[in-house]
Structures are given as C-alpha cells and as structure tokens.
Amino acid sequence: MSENKIRQRHEIPVEDTWKLEDLYVSDEAWEAELATIEEDKAQAAAFAGKLGASAADLLAYLTRMEQVNAKVELLANYCMRKADQDTRNATYQAMSGKFMSVVVALGAACSFETPEIMAISDETLEGFYAAEPGLERYRRYLTDARRLKEHTLSAAEEKLLASAGEVTGAASDIFGNLNNADMTFPEIEDGQGNKRPLTQGTFIGYMMSEDRVLRKNAYEALYHSFRNFKNTSAALLNAQGKQLKFKADARKYNSTLEAALSRTNVPVEVYLNLIEAVHQNIDKMHRYVRLRKKLLKLDELH
C-alpha cells in the first residue's frame, strides 16, 4: 500500500489476495453446494425423536452432522471472505445474507438435538458408548452439551429460538456494515505535514509509528468520526444488550455475563476475581506510567 493512497481491491496483485478458489472454483460452484444443504436439512430432521432410541441412531446422526458442519464451514468461509474483500460490494453482502438464512433454517431443523441428548440418562448413554465404540469420538462433545441441561428448553422452544437467529443477530450485522462499509475518515497529517489516508486498516500502523503527531491525529480523527454516529452506535449497543438479555432470560441464566461465560465453562467467580486482582494491583500500572513519563520527559501521556 502506498502511504498516500488506499488501493482498491482490483489494484492489489493477485498473489497478495486470498485464493478462495481453493474453497470453491466459482460463485456458481458455491451456490450449487449451498443448495445441497436443503437435503442435509431434511436428512437431519428425519432423526427427530430417534437420538435416544439407540446407539446406532445417535452415532449416525452425529456422524452426519459432523460432515454437514464441515461443509457449512467451507460455505461460510467462502462467502464471508468474499464479503470482507470489499464490504461495499452488495453482491457478496447478499451472498453472505443468503448463507445466514440457510444456516438459521438448518439450525431450526436440528433444534431437537439438544433436548433429545439431554433426555438420555447417564446409564443409557454409557450403554451406548459400549454398544457403539464409534461414539467415543463424540464423548467430549456430548459431555459438554449435557452440562447445559438446566439451560436447555423444550424442542419447540429451542426451534423458536433457533428460528430467531437472524433477528437476534441484526444489531451485530448492522454495526458491521456501519463500521466496515459506511464509515469514512478524513485525511490526516504526519509530523512533516504529509497527508495520510486514514482507514481502520491503516489506523493500527499509525498508532505504532514513532511520529507522535501522526499518532495523535490518527487517534482523534478516527474517534471524532465515530462520535458523529454516537446516537446510532448507542442504539445498536442497546439493541445488542437487549437481545443478549432476552437469550439469557430464556435459558434461565442469572445474567448475560453468566450466559456468555457458560459457553466456555468459566465460572462467573473466576471472571470477577480476575478483575478484582487487577484492581488490587493497579498501583503497579500507575507507577509504570509515572516512570515512563519521566524517562520520556513528557508532561502528560495519552
């Protein structure tokens, strides 16, 4: 990238771009693969009511869904990386949106999975492992899923939540488009008076520069630009908070924090203790900053 010009996508040498044809040779090939998810959805839905019936049924379902999830991951990477190449490109934004609709529908079709796995008794599940050694491959997955039993809803309720995926993800999607496509930033000057283009891609490089004027101008220009959208940003943050609270309440968590940490099996106490440990030792940080200011011979640091 030239220091004074942000190149358009078509100006970047091919060898410096993602080789997405390694995933799918063309958009048409991607579309054809996406269409097969409809059959995958039907096959998955056919297992409804059977996961606790036998070890063979449970193994067949988990094996099939592992294959489907691998396909979904490839589909996701292709369309999302295409959209990332230029977030202003409506074609690939639409492709990404189409993919999300298909995935949400697939999730709704498979929403019976968690309640049915939860309904299998520990004794029965151990019997399944003995009857079908292939299930050992999925023991960790099943164990992790079953620890969330008290936060799992009925099959109908799980399907309803899964179907609402696009709605509950709207705030995040809208912010992504605002942040990555619609936001523009003014040119800034470095310490020598040279004009520099400012984007979120160039910002970090500027903030690591030895040029203090460049760092200051980059910081202020970027955040002043965001300030122009403070009401929109606040509304999006509020919407995001509400959807997180809705999901936490629906799944009977005590807080959105507990719901978020539950995904990685981290107790709330561990998270809060970490923050408290930082607070109790913040004086070391203050001492470091005072020493840094003294050595750099500056009146203030930012």
Side-chain angles (χ1 to χ4, degrees):
M1 181 194 77
S2 165
E3 288 189 346
N4 298 312
K5 181 179 183 293
I6 301 296
R7 286 182 291 179
Q8 297 298 311
R9 173 74 182 178
H10 67 271
E11 297 176 306
I12 299 174
V14 173
E15 60 267 24
D16 293 334
T17 61
W18 288 319
K19 195 177 180 184
L20 294 180
E21 58 268 26
D22 284 354
L23 301 179
Y24 295 98
V25 296
S26 66
D27 293 353
E28 292 72 23
W30 180 88
E31 289 279 1
E33 181 90 314
L34 184 69
T36 66
I37 296 293
E38 193 64 31
E39 176 60 26
D40 294 328
K41 185 173 70 172
Q43 290 182 9
F47 281 93
K50 299 179 180 178
L51 300 190
S54 71
D57 283 330
L58 181 58
L59 177 59
Y61 173 79
L62 292 175
T63 301
R64 182 70 187 120
M65 288 313 299
E66 183 179 9
Q67 296 166 350
V68 172
N69 288 334
K71 183 196 299 186
V72 167
E73 188 171 332
L74 286 177
L75 289 165
N77 267 293
Y78 184 85
C79 70
M80 291 179 181
R81 299 300 76 78
K82 281 284 190 179
D84 288 343
Q85 288 175 352
D86 185 347
T87 52
R88 300 165 300 180
N89 188 319
T91 297
Y92 292 118
Q93 294 301 323
M95 180 184 280
S96 185
K98 182 178 181 179
F99 166 78
M100 286 305 301
S101 296
V102 170
V103 168
V104 167
L106 176 64
C110 300
S111 58
F112 63 87
E113 175 188 317
T114 303
E116 289 193 26
I117 287 175
M118 297 296 181
I120 303 172
S121 70
D122 292 342
E123 295 76 16
T124 298
L125 188 57
E126 285 301 322
F128 281 1
Y129 288 130
E132 285 285 358
L135 272 175
E136 284 293 339
R137 175 180 177 82
Y138 303 102
R139 181 185 282 271
R140 187 176 186 278
Y141 170 78
L142 292 169
T143 300
D144 194 53
R146 286 163 65 82
R147 72 177 173 81
L148 301 176
K149 187 171 184 176
E150 63 181 297
H151 303 294
T152 300
L153 309 179
S154 68
E157 291 169 325
E158 288 289 345
K159 185 173 184 178
L160 185 63
L161 278 183
S163 299
E166 286 187 279
V167 177
T168 55
S172 178
D173 292 340
I174 293 168
F175 177 73
N177 286 327
L178 171 66
N179 191 38
N180 299 318
D182 294 340
M183 287 286 294
T184 58
F185 305 97
E187 280 191 325
I188 58 173
E189 288 189 356
D190 61 22
Q192 289 73 46
N194 300 313
K195 295 290 187 180
R196 300 287 196 96
L198 176 64
T199 68
Q200 294 203 57
T202 61
F203 177 71
I204 296 300
Y206 292 159
M207 293 307 295
M208 296 176 68
S209 170
E210 293 183 2
D211 186 336
R212 199 162 191 254
V213 173
L214 179 60
R215 296 201 308 271
K216 180 176 186 292
N217 289 341
Y219 185 92
E220 291 184 346
L222 185 121
Y223 286 103
H224 286 175
S225 297
F226 273 106
R227 187 171 62 186
N228 293 333
F229 295 90
K230 62 182 180 181
N231 293 320
T232 298
S233 298
L236 288 170
L237 182 61
N238 185 46
Q240 178 72 353
K242 285 182 176 179
Q243 72 91 5
L244 290 174
K245 186 176 188 305
F246 166 75
K247 286 184 176 179
D249 289 346
R251 294 198 175 281
K252 301 177 178 64
Y253 285 103
N254 294 316
S255 66
T256 55
L257 175 61
E258 183 184 21
L261 294 174
S262 176
R263 276 177 266 168
T264 48
N265 201 15
V266 175
V268 173
E269 292 75 14
V270 171
Y271 181 89
L272 296 178
N273 287 342
L274 177 60
I275 295 175
E276 183 57 27
V278 172
H279 287 170
Q280 290 177 359
N281 291 277
I282 201 70
D283 58 306
K284 281 75 174 179
M285 180 65 178
H286 293 168
R287 181 184 174 193
Y288 162 75
V289 172
R290 287 194 300 269
L291 179 60
R292 182 182 175 91
K293 184 167 68 172
K294 178 181 177 181
L295 293 175
L296 291 173
K297 297 181 173 58
L298 296 172
D299 294 329
E300 58 182 21
L301 289 177
H302 294 273

